Amino acid sequence: MTPNSKATLNFADGTPSIEFPIYKGSVGPDVIDIRKLYGGTGKFTFDPGFMSTAACESKITYIDGDKGELLYRGYPIEQLAVNCDYLETCYLLLNGELPDATQKKDFEHRVTNHTMVHEQMTRFFQGFRRDAHPMAVLVGCVGALSAFYHDSLDIQNPEHRRISAIRLIAKMPTLVAMAYKYSVGQPFMYPKNDLSYSANFMRMMFGTPCAEYVPNPVLVRALDRILILHADHEQNASTSTVRLAGSSGANPFACIAAGIATLWGPAHGGANEACLVMLGDIQKQGGLPKIGEFIAQVKDKNSNVKLMGFGHRVYKNYDPRAKLMRETCYEVLNELGLQDDPMFKLAMALEKIALEDEYFVSRKLYPNVDFYSGIVQKALGIPTDLFTCIFALARTVGWIAQWTEMIAEPDQKIGRPRQLFTGAPRRDVTPIGQR
Ligand code: SDX
């Protein structure tokens, strides 16, 4: 990074002014390098939600929130979703370039041959209640994976990083499908090497040993596109967690488990599940005629009700993934003869009303990736509480690509933010008899 201009900070309290270099990215906002602020002034910046903070330099994903643009390694998500499949997108995110036919075939072969998990992993599931939330199971099992790969935990070794990335991308579908099978009391299905990544997942989810399961190519393609749309998204909460965990030198399986835990929150990856629950509640209260009442609740600050699947920290325009998700939703419902799916109709009506309502327009609240993803996943037969596991499955490549980029940083340091302390200053303990 070479400074292309500078910023001067002047203080009214007599602190000497200080200059900072400003760096320009290839696209997007410039950054002010404040790393010497504390040493030069004894002061910190204060930015609790990281609203104005760039925590790292990255070459992986770029979002233009005002334009509603999302690029993976420079390629628009709209083009990748139509012209590539998920493993091709994984290769791009990990390596920076799209694979040629040979590279793609080799990458698919490597991933396919790591899709099984250690047979002892099956015992982890026995410890969970059948009705455990699958995200709880996934956090536990992914964290436990590190116990099986002592041969590749040296994160400074590029080959160890590469094999860990392959293992995580390959095994997430197997673990997610196992979590689902365990919840419904069906036997685990082993992966089949002659199926594509997404077809393999569909078979492990919906196949049984009793009959041959032939995945529907339209539904497989829809799932594959859902995975592409969720693959990476710059420095979102779960990715920032993975980077922070990785900065301590923790192994990649532990870091991804931390990312899964963060994604679970309803403000983040849990929003697709929360959105479907929200649509179901409106449906129960009477459906379309009740939308006005619901919107009024959302606008009432005391209700604490949010329009799940709407709004975004970065997108102040339509999330490009939401548009693609709505198209995919339409394709799947058509393929399944569910064009009149009441939930889809309710969602489209809700979206239309919200996009015309001053409350949402003034706050630049648009549908995000989670608004339609629940409806299409439900149509695919995926249970609501598994939606965020699918999100985690898809995002694993983004997390591991960002983790790898951070580890490879020459001046990588452990992340250790400071604070504005407003608690009790120093005081002495009073003996209990005098308290
Ligand atoms: C994801 O970061 C990423 O990139 C995440 C993600 C990814 O791919 O990794 O894109 C995935 O997490 C998508 C977001 C999914 N979450 C939801 O759909 C949950 C509902 N959305 C909100 O919780 C909220 O919009 C956030 C958390 C997504 C963003 O919150 P911000 O940026 O902190 O914005 P804010 O809460 O300050 O909202 C600004 C205003 C507030 O009103 P005022 O105080 O100005 O009056 O908008 C209101 C908020 O109350 N608002 C909403 C709303 N979202 C924001 N009001 C009603 N419904 C909503 N959904």
Side-chain angles (χ1 to χ4, degrees):
M1 286 188 301
T2 45
N4 84 313
S5 63
K6 63 184 179 188
T8 305
L9 194 51
N10 300 308
F11 296 88
D13 65 1
T15 307
S17 66
I18 182 168
E19 275 189 2
F20 301 105
I22 293 180
Y23 302 121
K24 183 175 278 303
S26 40
V27 282
D30 295 352
V31 297
I32 303 169
D33 181 348
I34 56 159
R35 281 176 285 190
K36 65 180 187 186
L37 173 70
Y38 180 57
T41 68
K43 293 177 173 33
F44 297 138
T45 59
F46 187 66
D47 187 12
F50 307 123
M51 307 286 278
S52 303
T53 294
C56 65
E57 177 188 354
S58 181
K59 296 176 170 49
I60 300 173
T61 294
Y62 175 71
I63 304 168
D64 183 322
D66 294 329
K67 286 199 311 198
E69 182 179 57
L70 170 56
L71 309 176
Y72 290 167
R73 300 283 190 178
Y75 293 103
I77 191 72
E78 295 84 354
Q79 294 184 29
L80 292 169
V82 171
N83 299 303
C84 300
D85 65 26
Y86 177 67
L87 281 190
E88 229 171 320
T89 308
C90 288
Y91 185 98
L92 170 68
L93 288 167
L94 290 169
N95 300 297
E97 297 299 335
L98 284 165
D100 62 25
T102 310
Q103 290 164 330
K104 181 180 177 186
K105 200 166 166 41
D106 171 58
F107 186 72
E108 284 171 345
H109 179 75
R110 291 191 74 196
V111 171
T112 300
N113 285 283
H114 284 279
T115 46
M116 282 210 293
V117 293
H118 193 291
E119 195 61 14
Q120 281 180 232
M121 279 298 289
T122 58
R123 301 213 194 121
F124 277 97
F125 290 82
Q126 307 311 326
F128 289 101
R129 291 168 40 141
R130 294 278 180 181
D131 62 353
H133 196 290
M135 282 295 274
V137 177
L138 200 58
V139 170
C141 288
V142 172
L145 278 178
S146 53
F148 292 89
Y149 299 113
H150 294 136
D151 65 335
S152 60
L153 294 181
D154 171 9
I155 61 169
Q156 297 311 327
N157 179 331
E159 193 37 46
H160 286 198
R161 294 202 295 266
R162 258 190 298 279
I163 185 61
S164 297
I166 293 286
R167 281 173 168 151
L168 279 157
I169 292 166
K171 297 178 194 304
M172 281 297 276
T174 310
L175 290 173
V176 171
M178 289 171 80
Y180 171 62
K181 285 303 196 188
Y182 183 72
S183 75
V184 294
Q186 287 185 359
F188 297 138
M189 294 293 285
Y190 287 97
K192 277 191 75 186
N193 290 356
D194 59 352
L195 291 175
S196 71
Y197 188 86
S198 293
N200 218 349
F201 176 64
M202 295 281 271
R203 181 179 167 279
M204 289 190 283
M205 279 285 292
F206 304 118
T208 69
C210 317
E212 193 51 39
Y213 175 85
V214 181
N216 173 325
V218 173
L219 305 187
V220 168
R221 178 66 191 136
L223 177 75
D224 203 70
R225 184 178 295 176
I226 290 171
L227 301 183
I228 292 172
L229 296 181
H230 288 85
D232 193 44
H233 213 241
E234 204 199 76
Q235 305 311 318
N236 58 84
S238 52
T239 298
S240 300
T241 300
V242 171
R243 278 181 172 261
L244 194 56
S247 75
S248 76
N251 73 71
F253 304 97
C255 296
I256 299 303
I260 295 170
T262 305
L263 187 74
W264 196 356
H268 190 13
N272 50 20
E273 178 179 353
C275 184
L276 209 78
V277 169
M278 170 190 76
L279 291 170
D281 289 347
I282 299 171
Q283 200 71 358
K284 276 185 223 134
Q285 288 153 21
L288 291 172
K290 291 291 180 184
I291 288 182
E293 262 177 60
F294 176 75
I295 293 284
Q297 254 192 314
V298 170
K299 296 197 276 192
D300 169 12
K301 290 288 175 201
N302 302 320
S303 75
N304 232 355
V305 171
K306 284 202 185 285
L307 179 53
M308 299 313 280
F310 258 69
H312 199 276
R313 172 62 56 76
V314 179
Y315 288 122
K316 299 311 172 191
N317 196 328
Y318 213 103
D319 182 336
R321 302 169 298 175
K323 276 188 195 132
L324 291 158
M325 194 65 79
R326 188 177 54 197
E327 285 164 25
T328 304
C329 202
Y330 194 72
E331 278 168 28
V332 167
L333 294 173
N334 259 337
E335 172 69 14
L336 296 172
L338 299 172
Q339 297 87 327
D340 298 330
D341 178 274
M343 211 68 104
F344 186 52
K345 286 189 178 304
L346 183 62
M348 289 198 292
L350 196 50
E351 174 190 352
K352 186 172 182 312
I353 292 169
L355 292 181
E356 291 161 2
D357 186 299
E358 178 48 28
Y359 178 91
F360 298 92
V361 173
S362 63
R363 290 169 176 78
K364 298 188 176 183
L365 300 177
Y366 291 89
N368 59 51
V369 68
D370 292 303
F371 190 63
Y372 285 102
S373 78
I375 301 168
V376 59
Q377 290 186 68
K378 178 172 175 280
L380 290 172
I382 295 165
T384 307
D385 66 1
L386 208 75
F387 292 170
T388 313
C389 288
I390 307 287
F391 195 150
L393 187 173
R395 185 56 57 89
T396 293
V397 64
W399 287 331
I400 209 75
Q402 300 268 352
W403 171 81
T404 304
E405 183 177 65
M406 178 212 56
I407 297 286
E409 270 291 316
D411 56 358
Q412 185 260 322
K413 287 181 174 309
I414 188 167
R416 205 298 187 193
R418 301 303 299 273
Q419 62 182 6
L420 170 68
F421 183 72
T422 55
R426 181 186 173 83
R427 54 182 171 163
D428 298 324
V429 171
T430 311
I432 191 160
Q434 296 165 34
R435 281 183 219 152

